[in-house]
Amino acid sequence: MKEIQSSMAGTVFQILVGEGDSVSKGQTVLVLESMKMEIPVDSEQDGTVKELKVAIGDFVNEGDVLAVLA
Amino acid sequence: MFNRKGQSMMKKILIANRGEIALRIIRTCKKMNIETIAVYSEADADLPFVKQADYSFLIGPSPVVQSYLKAQDILDIAIKEGADAIHPGYGLLSENAHFAKMTEEAGIRFIGPSSSIIASMGDKIKARKTMIDAGVPVVPGQESMAEDLESAVKFADKAGYPVMLKASNGGGGVGMVRCNDEQALTQHFESTKKRSESYFGSGDLFIEKYIPNAKHIEVQIFGSADGEIYHLYERNCSIQRRNQKIIEESPSPQLTDTARSHILKAAVQAAKAVDYRNAGTIEMIVDESENAYFLEMNTRLQVEHPVTEMITGIDLVEWQIVTAQNIPVPITGQHQIKENGHAVEFRLYAEDPVTFYPSPGELTKASFPEGENIRIDFGYEQGNKITPYYDPMIAKIIISDETREACLMKAEKVLDEVSIEGVKSNLPLFKTVLNSESFKSGHYHTQSLQQMKKGEN
């Protein structure tokens, strides 16, 4: 199982993929908001989004799992 | 230490901030023979402000919640080191009423307004009410918070779309979303509420009417220790990305004298309404017919304050420190604050000029031209890292000249000589703006940058 983790603490600002979508390496899957910045989180591998672990507005810490890829 | 009038003078100031603004405050302190204490996070250990302060203390790991937002730890250092005052800079703890109060209660001066003024202006719904009571026009909107989606929709129907959905405790362009119709409002309501809860600690929202093609004009205000309120003219901050300013200029182009004097007067009136002390900014939205509406008040020094310093010749940080010592600023009236020429500021960010996403990395090269009427407020030195933990602003480039035309011509030359390597920067974007018809003519508004990027102007 492959996971997409948060690179830093922040608030989930945008989610750009849905469960079941296929994503490729380097694709931005969601955008975090922190310190007035929007920070993209990219997938590190190809795969299909099996589960989204967060919703818009959630606060996440560095290392939290944001999505699970199959 | 006492001055000739027997007033006690400050000897040591702790700066609860980082980067360029910490350095800028150190500069004025040196001029005033005041010692400085820097506090810094692990990520910032190699930055110039840490070296240039007289004393420096590591406060914690890189994330702000573990370092620059640790109010008690910072205050403890100030107490232990015998600081007379704390300068909060901008962002971070600068508009944190609780921190200002803790500082006041510890017998240390907070360089800014009182904690109660900060609290009253930090709550945007309350601030709107205060201004309405004082007779200052505000953006048409809700007088109380939108309890739920239903009341928000009801209000938006009455006001007419588009509307702005905003967090009451938000500010600085964060926690607001434009909704073009009921569907958009419905879609954004819960997520905006949730985001402002995690971001600002309160999910209170309110609705304002969206004003199209508006100029964002703000007035620099100063409340002297003797109770006098002065203005230091306006700044046009309409070139924005994601509701955040990137280019500011003063005076504002394309503003009639009538509108201008009305705006300056309204700003002074707004500051008087709260018996304001120290440096503050009244932000206004000016519509196409030049109607000005109060947006919010920033109870601190602004990022773009150098634009005002360039045209007035006043050192705002010096005035802030003087005021914190309870000494009136050294003028006898508004007429002594004169404006000379024109100034423009460019905020150079380590970010992708197209997506605006931050681009951290090592600043392998950073060089700026020097010269008369060129001011570079730069918080790094070559070889430093722009880390992902903080706002990625590299430097502020401020240029002034006698006229707007001369100032913009000079700006183009100065920007051509700026060289940044190692990180992506928004430098190319400045050229796009300078060459656009709307910026050249001065007829630009808060949506202009988006249009320029699409090549529409």
Side-chain angles (χ1 to χ4, degrees):
Chain A
M1 200 164 59
K2 297 170 272 186
E3 292 174 339
I4 297 176
Q5 293 183 349
S6 175
S7 51
M8 68 188 300
T11 309
V12 179
F13 182 56
Q14 276 181 310
I15 299 177
L16 304 171
V17 295
E19 285 175 5
D21 287 359
S22 60
V23 294
S24 46
K25 189 181 170 185
Q27 185 182 339
T28 302
V29 293
L30 53 82
V31 181
L32 298 177
E33 181 179 56
S34 173
M35 299 285 304
K36 293 170 100 177
M37 299 180 282
E38 288 168 22
I39 298 127
V41 179
D42 299 342
S43 176
E44 282 173 15
Q45 56 235 313
D46 296 341
T48 307
V49 181
K50 194 178 156 210
E51 191 186 356
L52 281 167
K53 294 274 198 185
V54 293
I56 290 175
D58 284 356
F59 181 80
V60 296
N61 275 305
E62 187 176 336
D64 283 2
V65 177
L66 305 171
V68 181
L69 300 184
Chain B
M1 209 198 316
F2 293 90
N3 69 359
R4 272 172 290 163
K5 287 182 186 157
Q7 290 148 328
S8 80
M9 303 299 280
M10 286 182 189
K11 287 173 299 216
K12 210 188 251 185
I13 291 176
L14 181 142
I15 301 163
N17 216 298
R18 59 178 298 282
E20 68 88 18
I21 195 63
L23 265 182
R24 191 258 164 274
I25 296 163
I26 291 172
R27 206 160 59 227
T28 292
C29 287
K30 283 196 168 144
K31 186 175 88 180
M32 298 175 78
N33 282 317
I34 295 170
E35 286 191 308
T36 49
I37 304 169
V39 289
Y40 64 97
S41 71
E42 283 167 7
D44 285 345
D46 293 329
L47 260 49
F49 79 94
V50 177
K51 296 176 209 163
Q52 290 202 21
D54 296 295
Y55 310 91
S56 307
F57 295 90
L58 176 70
I59 35 168
S62 308
V64 284
V65 284
Q66 294 175 58
S67 52
Y68 296 105
L69 294 181
K70 293 211 93 177
Q72 190 62 55
D73 291 10
I74 293 171
L75 186 58
D76 286 345
I77 293 171
I79 295 167
K80 197 162 155 270
E81 296 303 311
D84 301 299
I86 294 180
H87 197 306
Y90 53 69
L92 300 174
L93 293 169
S94 64
E95 288 177 297
N96 184 319
H98 182 63
F99 178 64
K101 192 155 199 281
M102 284 163 65
T103 306
E104 288 160 9
E105 284 170 357
I108 291 175
R109 287 168 196 214
F110 180 82
I111 303 180
S114 66
S115 56
S116 59
I117 291 180
I118 297 174
S120 71
M121 291 294 111
D123 178 334
K124 305 300 169 202
I125 295 174
K126 225 159 121 188
R128 284 172 56 83
K129 239 186 247 152
T130 307
M131 293 307 152
I132 293 167
D133 292 345
V136 178
V138 302
V139 179
Q142 277 180 306
E143 304 316 319
S144 56
M145 83 175 205
E147 299 277 351
D148 48 26
L149 176 61
E150 202 185 327
S151 77
V153 168
K154 211 186 263 176
F155 181 83
D157 273 341
K158 215 170 69 190
Y161 289 95
V163 295
M164 293 295 283
L165 179 64
K166 292 185 168 184
S168 184
N169 284 28
V174 181
M176 55 164 89
V177 55
R178 177 179 155 179
C179 304
N180 289 335
D181 49 33
E182 185 175 332
Q183 194 193 342
L185 182 56
T186 307
Q187 183 198 334
H188 292 301
F189 194 84
E190 280 309 316
S191 60
T192 305
K193 197 175 180 64
K194 222 165 129 188
R195 269 170 60 218
S196 53
E197 255 161 34
S198 13
Y199 214 96
F200 305 110
S202 154
D204 291 358
L205 303 178
F206 69 105
I207 286 180
E208 271 180 4
K209 184 154 177 55
Y210 174 77
I211 298 178
N213 302 333
K215 288 189 175 82
H216 177 118
I217 293 190
E218 59 184 31
V219 178
Q220 177 68 54
I221 286 294
F222 206 96
S224 179
D226 55 12
E228 287 296 324
I229 304 278
Y230 301 110
H231 73 76
L232 286 82
Y233 306 96
E234 81 285 5
R235 294 183 286 258
N236 185 329
C237 312
S238 307
I239 299 290
Q240 305 184 348
R241 55 117 174 79
R242 290 197 316 252
N243 299 316
Q244 289 162 24
K245 307 154 190 168
I246 58 163
I247 299 177
E248 302 96 347
E249 63 176 323
S250 183
S252 169
Q254 298 298 347
L255 193 63
T256 60
D257 288 346
T258 320
R260 187 170 192 236
S261 68
H262 169 74
I263 287 166
L264 297 176
K265 217 158 136 193
V268 170
Q269 193 182 341
K272 277 188 176 152
V274 289
D275 195 16
Y276 198 76
R277 286 288 185 289
N278 219 298
T281 296
I282 305 285
E283 296 196 337
M284 301 216 188
I285 280 291
V286 180
D287 72 12
E288 288 173 299
S289 316
E290 293 199 318
N291 295 306
Y293 304 100
F294 171 85
L295 197 58
E296 62 181 56
M297 177 166 203
N298 294 308
T299 54
R300 53 169 165 85
L301 194 67
Q302 299 271 101
V303 175
E304 60 274 22
H305 77 277
V307 168
T308 299
E309 294 187 324
M310 290 287 257
I311 63 153
T312 60
I314 289 166
D315 180 336
L316 278 165
V317 173
E318 186 177 352
W319 274 25
Q320 283 196 297
I321 294 170
V322 165
T323 305
Q325 294 176 132
N326 220 11
I327 300 170
V329 295
I331 57 167
T332 56
Q334 181 67 51
H335 66 280
Q336 288 195 333
I337 304 174
K338 297 210 165 63
E339 52 172 349
N340 282 303
H342 196 95
V344 61
E345 174 184 271
F346 299 84
R347 298 193 195 183
L348 184 64
Y349 280 99
E351 67 180 19
D352 186 301
V354 178
T355 61
F356 299 139
Y357 289 147
S359 165
E362 188 185 329
L363 204 53
T364 51
K365 186 179 175 198
S367 75
F368 302 94
E370 286 173 29
E372 206 184 332
N373 299 326
I374 300 171
R375 170 172 166 180
I376 310 289
D377 283 17
F378 179 42
Y380 299 90
E381 55 195 13
Q382 217 160 279
N384 280 154
K385 280 201 179 75
I386 313 270
T387 58
Y389 305 104
Y390 320 110
D391 181 281
M393 192 168 74
I394 304 168
K396 301 187 299 207
I397 302 162
I398 312 108
I399 297 125
S400 73
D401 211 319
E402 280 172 28
T403 63
R404 182 173 194 260
E405 203 187 358
C407 182
L408 298 186
M409 254 169 64
K410 186 168 173 173
E412 201 158 355
K413 277 193 207 131
V414 168
L415 292 171
D416 271 344
E417 287 178 55
V418 173
S419 175
I420 296 295
E421 284 171 24
V423 294
K424 283 189 211 168
S425 89
N426 61 348
L427 191 59
L429 194 64
F430 300 151
K431 202 156 215 176
T432 308
V433 175
L434 282 171
N435 289 326
S436 71
E437 278 313 313
S438 60
F439 192 77
K440 273 196 239 172
S441 69
H443 283 292
Y444 61 90
H445 50 78
T446 51
Q447 299 307 308
S448 294
L449 183 62
Q450 285 305 326
Q451 295 169 355
M452 287 172 204
K453 273 180 68 191
K454 286 190 219 143
E456 286 169 10
N457 179 332

